[in-house]
């Protein structure tokens, strides 16, 4: 697989000003980051104390006490710092920066002489460092803090955290690696791989890339490292003996075989996404075509065999995991917000390797559905699990749906999703444009100003996307006059027009990218008009749970029925194959968005009894109203349904 | 609720000779009872040793060793003895009787001085007797042995086991009851209540009926006995503190409130059925109309709100339990064979209280579907869980379906279902006829000879039911000449004819029973011709999981699609509303039965991908073949589906 090396235009150089995403970013800035700051500092009344910053303070000798929280508690601080860094890139805020600086100061003080930095092991179990990689999260926490360090350095030019994390990397390198006497280990929860590549990119130090590559290549080799460490802890034991997951201990964290031999996503979905992202990063940076091909196989398996139409992944609550091809139940799935975010990371890296619309399609399918459904419209409550069908009484009472919450929550004991969402939204700019030798690529349609410094190109994008398929791109600057401007034509788009300065444009189409090659002048205006009809999506018959049903999509947005609009027992509703689908303007909570209305049918209610041969399936006419899936549950609890009987 | 007291015609007086049930009984006699004898004696190679008889031998001082097995291991011996007793009633077998006698001898020797008899507590935890009623099964085991004792006494006239169990009852009575200093307890797993009524009926000793009534009335009172005993074990603790089920510890075993106040089935389904059966028994014997009304409410809740069309109950694996009204998923349900058997017990008792076809309907709906599906056609393998939709790969790989076995098993660690099935089938005769002042009632249509001694009435029934709706009843003896012969007209039957000696009969119809009142003579022949078309059953729209689907029934038999006949991906099949349903004669494995054929549609397979707007849901014509649900999975593993898209 040939590797093209597209370079993302960074967050700093992409000012998002289009209403849709600017508002989301504002929520992150004004609500989520401050709220999470309070949560991390144990200042949210009613919430379980996080203790995350206090752990660092104790490790730094600034406070007294014991470690509290999960073994990965440190990562919450890292994700907050990373989100704050992205936010600072385009919105300087001395108060926020001061908070970040203060935390970084504490972190620096908490770091041990040898570079070690993990408060769970500094404050307790000091002698157990690096002995239980399968379950403990030392490398995972280090990875998140490396991501934060790189982002904070980019945002502010301050390198204190970056230097701290270089020392952590040095500590890790002294323990793990190919050298004699070093442990041949790798993380139980992947993350450090992609983070080390970010460290490499931030510092230029090739050692970090080598470390990332080592962790990826070592994974799944025999003798299995997780068995080796289990045997060290108690002679004769294997990882399976120790593990809650038993024999599945290896699949759960994708170490069941070497990564280049893996061709189907398996195990914990977030772990899988972080691993695959790191693999793609290493493939790109090391020109490793074999690894890139493995990545593409895994991507295709996820996108075309194991993904919900919302971009949700992880069809089982057990291990928050993938199960197998086409096993995608709508009401018992896990579809964690973090997993969809991880899928965006993975697709984004693939897009740098190969310009193909499928990667951009999946990025926006996940973003506009399974990612954004994770946060309430007021930016203050969060879903961890994002099912496609919710019957509240059943979710509340059935044990096999106990992971399903019928309303978004303020915070979670395991608080991975809210800060992950914050950093995703805050860093969105980075996902919009790339450049390469051929020119500039536009992957997502986001109202923004892009400043492509190395080429001296400035673009301004105006659009009401995803509610409208019209995109206007103005060339504000074109120091490099001759370049190709490539626009992603989404897979959902069957009909589109491209014009330059009002005239039909000449372009070449390859793998879903329309490339307009010409000499550009300042003020040139490109218009992309994408026809955006409502589509009745059907599922592959192999996907048994959706037989006879349709889902409504318009552009990248998946729609759903809610009890608030359609009454209860949503399964009793039917959308006949010949029903016209009318796009309407939303109002109130939905102002500025598009809803879908249709004439549907409702099964007539019964007077008691469970089964009858006498009912001929009597139906009554009814009006159906579908709302964007990501906006569901902003009007109190109630039923919700994506896949509708036809 | 007025209580009519119908008296069942006992197993001894009903010789089953019709092919369908005679063959099932033969399997019990020739295969299941001998197999289980070997299992109980640890003589089945490859199976986990039961140790159940060995436990009694050790307790009796005939062997050395320790207790092994579940705390309710004794009950397996009891159920085997009970099944053997029913079998002996019509099929004397000196060898089998000798085996039973030998076990009874061991049991007698194992009994303690004070009458106590539970090997788990005799062999270990002797001082913990009667201290943990919520979890331990002392009263449950005693109940099963009482049932065995009553049956064995009826079968053979030998009262050794009955005397043993009278001493056990005396021991229980010395510990529990209203008297001062006695514990105010009741079982965590109900069973002893219905068993004590059997003891009362076998001995005429009213004390046993009083004990049953006490256990029933005491249940759910405050202060809660399970809290009292928890507090005794560790001061300040409640049952919820001790219990795996936490706050659900009371609902789980139906002790959350007094039984007369309960109106919806809840908790462990088998426990619930045994309790309700005991309640109905006590209501009948004590003329307790309030209790009878509570029973009817509970019955109606089960039958019309919480029962699968197969007569399966228990929609959740968690606690093998009921959940709530209309929550009946087809692929994750528990629907334990034992629970359907318990439902037959309960409906049978209700039928003695009130002659209404709904009770007989549910008996046969459970028997011909959810009960018989528990055993393979060769009588040698068993299902514990009886789902209505099976996708083998998903059942094997999804954790929330881990309770679903895709093939019947030889035996189980917790071996409750196989012996329960054996005693159910062996005692079927008892469910067919009752008598009361008005005459004789025929509830089930089973080829048999009935000898109603007290009235001097003999009936002979010929029928191919459930494959054919024609029933011929010959009066062989009619010493009491004038009596009403009542025939249940099943709820499924819309069209029927009754004739006497070839002439249209005069009859009155009440609550689904057609009563022919006349002076009968020997040789009179009554013919009931029930039209038995295939019915497309639909589910109440509240039952969300079955929206847009139909199930096929013919008479009491539910049909299903199997992969063996219809290929894979059964959800891709559709039975159009106008498709003719053709009844055909089965062959091979299905010889003597009826199958259903129809012209259906199959979704065209896709080339890859999960979702598409382009597929217009293309379908191809295909032939559908449905087989009786209870006969599924006799041709190797494969998909199965009861509810078919219409």
């Amino acid at each position: 697989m040939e590797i093209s090396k597209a370079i993302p235009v960074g967050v700093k150089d992409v000012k998002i000003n289009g209403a849709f995403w600017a508002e989301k970013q504002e929520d992150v800035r004004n609500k989520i980051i401050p709220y999470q700051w309070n949560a991390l500092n144990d200042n949210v009344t009613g919430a379980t104390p996080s203790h995350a910053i206090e752990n660092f303070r104790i490790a730094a000798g600034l406070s007294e006490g014991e470690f509290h929280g999960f073994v990965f508690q440190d990562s919450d601080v890292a994700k907050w710092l990373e989100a704050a860094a992205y936010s600072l890139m385009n919105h300087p805020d001395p108060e926020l920066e001061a908070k970040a600086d203060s935390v970084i100061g504490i972190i620096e003080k908490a770091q041990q002489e040898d570079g070690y930095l993990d408060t769970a092991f500094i404050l307790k179990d000091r002698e157990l460092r690096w002995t239980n990689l399968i379950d403990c999260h030392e490398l995972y926490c280090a990875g998140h803090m490396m991501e934060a360090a790189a982002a904070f350095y980019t945002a502010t030019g301050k390198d204190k955290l970056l230097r701290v994390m270089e020392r952590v990397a040095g500590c890790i390198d002294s323990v793990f690696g190919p050298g004699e006497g070093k442990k041949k280990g790798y993380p139980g929860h992947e993350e450090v791989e992609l983070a080390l590549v970010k460290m490499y990119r931030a510092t230029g130090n090739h050692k970090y890339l080598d470390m990332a590559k080592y962790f990826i290549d070592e994974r799944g080799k025999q003798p299995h490292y997780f068995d080796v460490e289990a045997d060290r802890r108690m002679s004769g034991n294997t990882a399976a003996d120790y593990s809650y997951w038993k024999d599945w201990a290896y699949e759960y964290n994708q170490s069941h075989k070497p990564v280049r031999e893996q061709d189907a996503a398996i195990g914990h979905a977030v772990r899988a996404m972080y691993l695959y992202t790191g693999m793609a990063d290493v493939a790109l940076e090391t020109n490793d075509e074999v690894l890139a091909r493995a990545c593409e196989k895994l991507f295709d398996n996820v996108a075309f065999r194991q993904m919900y139409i919302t971009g949700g992944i992880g069809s089982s609550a057990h291990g928050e995991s993938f199960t197998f091809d086409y096993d995608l139940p709508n009401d018992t799935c896990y579809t964690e917000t973090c997993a969809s975010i991880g899928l965006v990371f993975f697709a984004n890296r693939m897009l740098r390797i190969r310009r193909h619309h499928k990667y951009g399609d999946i990025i926006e399918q996940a973003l506009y559905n399974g990612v954004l459904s994770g946060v309430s419209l007021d930016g203050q409550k969060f879903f961890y699990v994002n099912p496609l069908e919710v019957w509240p009484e059943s979710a509340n009472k059935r044990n096999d749906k106990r992971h399903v919450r019928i309303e978004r929550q303020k915070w979670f004991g395991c608080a991975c999703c809210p800060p992950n969402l914050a950093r995703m939204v805050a860093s969105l700019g980075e996902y919009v444009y790339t450049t390469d030798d051929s020119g500039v690529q536009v992957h997502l349609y986001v109202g923004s100003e892009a400043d492509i410094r190395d080429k001296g190109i400035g673009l301004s994008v105006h659009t009401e996307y995803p509610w409208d398929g019209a995109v206007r791109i103005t060339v504000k600057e074109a120091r490099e006059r001759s370049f190709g401007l490539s626009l992603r034509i989404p897979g959902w788009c069957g009909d589109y027009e491209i014009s330059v300065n009002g005239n039909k444009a000449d372009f070449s189409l390859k793998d879903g990218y329309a490339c307009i090659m010409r000499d550009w002048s300042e003020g040139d205006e490109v218009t992309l008009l994408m026809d955006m009809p409502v589509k009745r999506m059907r599922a592959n018959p192999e996907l048994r749970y959706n037989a006879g049903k349709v889902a409504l999509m318009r552009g990248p947005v998946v729609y759903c029925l809610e009890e608030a609009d359609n009454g209860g027992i949503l399964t009793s509703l039917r959308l006949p194959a010949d029903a016209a689908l009318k796009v309407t303007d939303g109002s109130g909570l939905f102002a500025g968005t598009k809803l879908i209305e249709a004439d549907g049918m409702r099964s007539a209610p019964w007077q008691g009894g469970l089964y009858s041969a006498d009912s001929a399936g009597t139906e009554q006419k009814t009006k159906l109203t579908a709302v964007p899936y990501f906006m569901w549950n902003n009007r109190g609890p109630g039923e919700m349904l994506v896949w509708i009987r036809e």
Side-chain angles (χ1 to χ4, degrees), chain A residues 15 31 84 200 209 259 328 375 378 404-405 461 520 573 618:
Chain A
K15 316 280 183 218
K31 295 174 180 170
Y200 160 65
L209 180 60
V259 299
L328 297 164
V375 59
D378 66 8
V404 176
R405 294 282 167 277
V461 172
W520 297 91
L573 298 172
T618 321

Side-chain angles (χ1 to χ4, degrees), chain A residues 35-353:
Chain A
Y35 182 85
Q36 294 183 356
W37 174 253
N38 286 330
L40 293 174
N41 284 282
D42 310 329
N43 288 329
V44 175
T45 47
T48 314
S50 152
H51 213 263
I53 288 181
E54 185 64 9
N55 287 334
F56 277 107
R57 291 180 55 82
I58 300 167
L62 302 170
S63 189
E64 299 270 318
E66 290 179 355
F67 177 85
H68 279 293
F70 288 97
V71 70
F72 48 84
Q73 207 75 355
D74 288 2
S75 66
D76 287 349
V77 178
K79 283 192 227 166
W80 179 85
L81 273 172
E82 190 186 352
Y86 294 132
S87 181
L88 289 171
M89 288 183 190
N90 288 317
H91 296 273
D93 176 343
E95 201 185 326
L96 178 61
E97 190 167 331
K99 281 176 183 165
D101 282 335
S102 76
V103 174
I104 290 169
I106 298 167
I107 292 170
E108 187 184 38
K109 281 207 180 68
Q111 188 167 38
Q112 307 292 290
E113 197 71 15
D114 61 352
Y116 188 85
L117 177 69
D118 187 299
T119 70
F121 286 86
I122 292 173
L123 300 181
K124 55 172 198 176
D125 303 332
R126 189 172 278 265
E127 68 291 352
L128 295 179
R129 284 181 191 185
W130 309 126
T131 59
N132 185 4
L133 264 58
I134 189 171
D135 286 330
C136 299
H137 285 61
E138 291 158 287
L139 291 170
Y140 170 86
C141 289
H144 272 301
M145 200 61 87
M146 288 176 187
E147 286 199 85
F152 197 73
Y153 175 64
T154 305
T156 63
K158 296 178 185 171
D159 69 354
K160 185 185 276 186
L161 189 57
L162 193 62
R163 297 302 156 227
V164 166
M165 295 317 296
E166 289 209 87
R167 289 194 292 275
V168 170
C171 171
I172 293 171
D173 184 49
S174 74
V175 176
F176 299 98
E180 210 176 321
K182 289 189 184 181
K183 297 187 186 209
K184 306 292 171 266
Y186 42 84
H189 194 317
E190 305 90 328
E191 153 69 22
V192 77
E193 301 87 343
L194 72 90
L196 282 162
V197 177
K198 285 192 175 181
M199 290 285 285
Y200 160 65
R201 289 175 183 147
T203 64
N205 187 337
H206 208 279
K207 183 175 80 173
Y208 304 138
L209 180 60
D210 294 342
M211 288 170 71
K213 184 171 152 52
Y214 174 78
F215 284 135
I216 281 167
D217 284 341
E218 197 62 27
R219 194 166 205 87
K221 281 193 183 165
Q222 292 295 342
H224 200 288
Y225 181 73
F226 294 149
D227 288 339
V228 171
E229 65 167 22
D231 182 59
R232 253 185 227 136
R233 291 208 297 287
M234 193 180 292
S235 185
N237 273 270
T238 66
D241 294 327
Y242 267 101
S243 172
Y244 170 77
W245 306 108
K246 312 251 168 57
D247 282 349
W248 202 59
Y250 313 100
E251 277 82 0
Y252 173 70
N253 54 45
Q254 300 83 37
S255 69
H256 54 301
K257 51 184 171 183
V259 299
R260 286 154 208 270
E261 296 170 20
Q262 298 187 25
D263 53 12
I266 200 165
H268 187 260
V270 174
R271 281 172 165 78
M273 290 305 110
Y274 288 7
L275 168 64
Y276 306 159
T277 302
M279 286 164 63
D281 275 331
V282 168
L284 177 79
E285 297 294 355
T286 64
N287 267 312
D288 187 335
E289 296 188 4
V290 174
L291 189 57
R293 196 155 39 239
C295 289
E296 188 171 35
K297 265 193 192 171
L298 289 165
F299 182 88
D300 288 352
N301 176 262
V302 173
F304 306 126
R305 293 287 183 278
Q306 298 205 66
M307 188 187 79
Y308 288 87
I309 197 166
T310 56
I313 50 174
S315 62
S316 172
H318 187 70
E320 310 178 335
S321 70
F322 290 101
T323 53
F324 63 99
D325 292 359
Y326 303 112
D327 181 50
L328 297 164
N330 295 306
D331 57 347
T332 53
C333 50
Y334 204 71
T335 45
E336 184 181 342
T337 307
C338 283
S340 289
I341 290 170
L343 178 57
V344 172
F345 296 159
F346 179 30
N348 167 261
R349 303 312 197 275
M350 292 308 293
L351 202 42
R352 296 189 199 171
I353 291 179

Side-chain angles (χ1 to χ4, degrees), chain A residues 380-383 405-412 418:
Chain A
Q380 302 191 301
K381 288 184 291 180
F382 303 90
F383 273 137
R405 294 282 167 277
I406 64 164
E407 293 197 90
R408 292 183 185 80
Q409 311 284 304
K410 289 290 273 179
W411 196 253
F412 300 90

